[in-house]
Amino acid sequence: MDRDPPPNFSTNDSSSNWTSSSLASASVDADYLLSGDRETSILTEFGWNFDSDEVQPSRFLDSDQIATDDNADFAGTSTGSLQSPDVPVPLASNPSLSSSSSGELPEKQPEIPRNKVKKKGQKRIRQPRFAFMTKSEVDHLEDGYRWRKYGQKAVKNSPFPRSYYRCTNSKCTVKKRVERSSEDPTVVITTYEGQHCHHTVGFPRGGGLNLGHEAAFGTQFSPHMAQAQFFYPDPHPPPTISPPNAPPNLPSVAPSQEEPTNSSPQVASDEGLLGDVVAPGMRRR
DNA sequence: CGAGTTTGACCAGCGC
DNA sequence: GCGCTGGTCAAACTCG
């Protein structure tokens, strides 16, 4: 099976001879992801909206590797959920966060015991999400940011629980979910939601500070992603993705300026999406 | 003592 | 309407 991965996403797989058209054929196939010789695969849950609803992110992830209902929900709310990359998500837009992390808890009103979770009638705001699978024994891969675990749930059809993390930066609303694949316990599925509005905090283990957004994924993942394979399982070129870890001041790819003809559509000017996702050393030039 | 984790409970969305 | 499930809260707990 040589399904063609997208160009410029292979790091040291010299045998790859990908073309931009490969994207079109790279449909999401969990089996492919898991059984391939690659260590890591990146999926995307696209919440970003372009000019239209053409992008139906949920399609990429119809595999049960990722919560399916989420995808549907996500697609449905993609338009409303998209935040300008330059604008950190206002806490107000996220009731749950605004109440808990701001410390402005409306001193427990007896009549509303738990409505901090979500206001009634207020739809949960979904942020753009970015998912990838990594073969790793470690559940929680470090990515340069500090995360605080705020929940864990058993998920249906999976013996492994799903963990919920939130960026410890009080101004940052980025969340991530970590779960193991039920099909392949060695595979960790990490889903980022939202965009960091700050830089990495550096690695406590001497990984180097201030590596910038590129460290977000690259540094930690390099061991795992040395042979990483990223692909967009979508026929469309990747949407304007400001990856979750991209600082807001980074220029994002102009939606209408996708470069499908470019051999590396994912690598926008100034590295763009993968520039933020993949450490430069991991990229093939 | 502050930061992070655990865990049970609650809530919303969705399908039937 | 009801039940299921995912997502989140927050108190209690652990750790450095």
Side-chain angles (χ1 to χ4, degrees):
Chain A
M1 281 313 189
D2 10 283
R3 271 206 244 185
D4 295 330
N8 277 7
F9 285 92
S10 94
T11 53
N12 54 8
D13 183 355
S14 56
S15 64
S16 296
N17 185 21
W18 303 348
T19 62
S20 55
S21 62
S22 317
L23 283 170
S25 61
S27 61
V28 154
D29 185 337
D31 292 335
Y32 166 64
L33 294 178
L34 299 178
S35 62
D37 54 341
R38 309 305 201 276
E39 294 290 337
T40 303
S41 298
I42 288 196
L43 308 176
T44 49
E45 296 182 55
F46 299 129
W48 16 75
N49 89 34
F50 289 79
D51 296 333
S52 70
D53 296 314
E54 279 184 32
V55 176
Q56 296 294 334
S58 59
R59 281 179 214 243
F60 311 154
L61 300 170
D62 52 1
S63 158
D64 55 8
Q65 298 296 323
I66 309 256
T68 51
D69 65 327
D70 286 349
N71 300 330
D73 185 12
F74 194 56
T77 59
S78 61
T79 299
S81 67
L82 182 66
Q83 300 285 341
S84 165
D86 297 327
V87 182
V89 181
L91 292 175
S93 70
N94 193 335
S96 59
L97 291 179
S98 62
S99 61
S100 61
S101 57
S102 64
E104 296 180 18
L105 281 175
E107 38 219 286
K108 304 182 176 177
Q109 302 180 357
E111 48 217 281
I112 41 178
R114 276 259 190 187
N115 68 348
K116 307 177 217 168
V117 179
K118 253 160 281 164
K119 281 190 178 166
K120 245 181 181 174
Q122 187 162 1
K123 272 211 165 183
R124 180 176 301 163
I125 306 294
R126 296 249 184 215
Q127 302 276 321
R129 291 194 289 192
F130 186 88
F132 59 89
M133 307 166 84
T134 303
K135 232 174 181 163
S136 170
E137 296 180 5
V138 186
D139 282 353
H140 190 193
L141 304 172
E142 293 217 18
D143 52 15
Y145 291 91
R146 292 178 64 84
W147 300 92
R148 169 182 226 152
K149 190 176 186 177
Y150 66 89
Q152 179 172 306
K153 287 277 292 189
V155 289
K156 194 185 174 187
N157 295 330
S158 175
F160 306 101
R162 174 184 296 161
S163 297
Y164 298 90
Y165 296 89
R166 177 176 298 150
C167 184
T168 55
N169 188 315
S170 59
K171 293 177 183 175
C172 185
T173 61
V174 176
K175 293 173 235 175
K176 80 172 177 182
R177 298 186 317 213
V178 177
E179 63 185 294
R180 285 200 174 271
S181 167
S182 58
E183 293 183 2
D184 186 349
T186 65
V187 171
V188 177
I189 302 171
T190 306
T191 305
Y192 287 84
E193 179 173 333
Q195 300 174 354
H196 288 285
C197 59
H198 58 97
H199 289 275
T200 59
V201 296
F203 286 96
R205 299 172 202 166
L209 295 175
N210 197 21
L211 288 172
H213 52 284
E214 294 190 336
F217 279 58
T219 306
Q220 163 59 28
F221 294 155
S222 28
H224 307 282
M225 300 167 100
Q227 302 168 12
Q229 176 116 9
F230 311 104
F231 72 93
Y232 293 90
D234 183 70
H236 303 283
T240 304
I241 301 172
S242 278
N245 294 308
N249 57 337
L250 285 175
S252 54
V253 190
S256 56
Q257 302 299 330
E258 304 137 7
E259 43 271 84
T261 56
N262 191 321
S263 59
S264 54
Q266 285 74 31
V267 182
S269 63
D270 201 14
E271 315 306 297
L273 167 61
L274 282 175
D276 297 320
V277 174
V278 184
M282 301 173 57
R283 291 197 295 267
R284 218 195 207 168
R285 308 193 75 93

